[in-house]
């Protein structure tokens, strides 16, 4: 906590957080013991080889959000999440170095975003960050996370690069206010104890 106190003494309005890759890292980084203003786990579908289908991977992420809702003693936000998508590469969804080149189509990415946005809200998340803004042409398996397709975007072409996820994010706010939390929807998925 010494570093926290030093930073706050210099800038008391500076929020201090820590990111983690999954709830599994709690053994290394416990937000209840680490002095932070808020926690920000980074839940992704590609972290575990036993996620043999999209539904299982989504339920695992919902389970991690549920765990944060029930156990995190400080505010938390979905610090990063993402779903690799492409309508161009998904016909066969080939493997590259043992990884899926993409996890699904652009509509699959939208469905993932709709589900995780709602679940994060209902599990008490104070924010949500989607990784990445635009597909950049990185070597596989790291590309495809963008909510915009790869290309040179100008003011006249911007809407031609939108993936369906853009609509999900734009439509999430109603009159610039997030929908209220519905804690009744914060439930353990069937694979919570897997």
């Amino acid at each position: 906590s010494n570093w926290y106190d030093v930073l706050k003494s210099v800038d008391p309005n500076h929020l201090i957080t820590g990111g983690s890759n999954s709830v599994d890292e709690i053994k290394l980084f416990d937000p209840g013991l680490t002095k932070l203003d808020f926690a920000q786990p980074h839940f992704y579908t590609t972290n575990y080889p036993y996620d043999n289908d999209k539904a299982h991977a989504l339920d695992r992420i919902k389970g991690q959000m549920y765990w944060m809702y029930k156990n995190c003693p400080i505010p938390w936000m979905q610090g990063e999440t993402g779903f690799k998508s492409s309508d161009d590469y998904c016909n066969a969804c080939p493997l590259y170095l043992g990884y899926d080149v993409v996890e699904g189509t652009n509509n699959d990415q939208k469905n993932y975003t709709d589900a995780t946005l709602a679940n994060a809200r209902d599990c008490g998340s104070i924010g949500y960050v989607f990784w990445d803004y635009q597909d950049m042409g990185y070597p596989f398996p790291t590309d495809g996370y963008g909510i915009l397709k790869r290309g040179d975007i100008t003011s006249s072409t911007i809407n031609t690069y939108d993936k369906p996820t853009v609509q999900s994010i734009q439509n999430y706010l109603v009159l610039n206010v997030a929908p209220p939390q519905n804690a009744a929807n914060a439930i353990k998925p069937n694979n919570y104890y897997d």
Side-chain angles (χ1 to χ4, degrees):
S1 72
N2 186 36
W3 58 269
Y4 178 93
D5 296 332
V6 169
L7 288 171
K8 286 292 190 175
S9 72
V10 175
D11 184 359
N13 295 321
H14 189 106
L15 293 175
I16 299 172
T17 187
S20 63
N21 196 42
S22 73
V23 171
D24 297 344
E25 292 180 358
I26 294 301
K27 60 186 172 257
L28 304 172
F29 164 73
D30 186 336
L33 299 175
T34 306
K35 203 169 183 181
L36 299 170
D37 293 311
F38 66 98
Q40 55 160 326
H42 301 176
F43 300 143
Y44 283 91
T45 57
T46 56
N47 291 343
Y48 298 94
Y50 54 78
D51 284 336
N52 52 7
D53 63 46
K54 292 179 194 80
H56 190 274
L58 181 59
D59 278 350
R60 177 180 47 80
I61 290 172
K62 286 181 175 182
Q64 291 179 330
M65 289 179 184
Y66 178 81
W67 190 94
M68 294 296 290
Y69 172 61
K70 290 295 188 180
N71 297 289
C72 187
I74 61 175
W76 73 277
M77 69 175 281
Q78 178 59 54
E80 263 180 41
T81 194
F83 184 97
K84 292 185 291 183
S85 73
S86 172
D87 289 341
D88 299 327
Y89 294 107
C90 196
N91 292 336
C93 289
L95 294 179
Y96 177 84
L97 299 178
Y99 293 90
D100 287 330
V101 172
V102 294
E103 297 166 289
T105 66
N106 292 336
N107 280 326
D108 291 333
Q109 183 190 59
K110 179 190 183 308
N111 294 338
Y112 171 86
T113 304
D114 291 340
T116 56
L117 249 174
N119 197 69
R121 176 198 64 230
D122 292 338
C123 287
S125 175
I126 61 171
Y128 181 94
V129 177
F130 200 90
W131 185 268
D132 197 2
Y133 179 68
Q134 182 182 18
D135 292 343
M136 299 299 293
Y138 298 126
F140 289 118
T142 58
D143 199 18
Y145 284 111
I147 62 172
L148 299 180
K149 299 174 209 164
R150 184 174 169 216
D152 294 324
I153 296 176
T154 66
S155 59
S156 63
T157 63
I158 184 125
N159 293 332
T160 64
Y161 291 98
D162 289 1
K163 290 183 183 178
T165 294
V166 170
Q167 290 177 337
S168 294
I169 294 168
Q170 289 173 335
N171 294 338
Y172 180 73
L173 298 178
V174 178
L175 301 175
N176 294 323
V177 177
Q181 177 184 10
N182 184 352
N185 288 337
I187 57 173
K188 286 185 283 196
N190 291 334
N191 66 346
Y192 183 71
Y193 295 106
D194 288 359

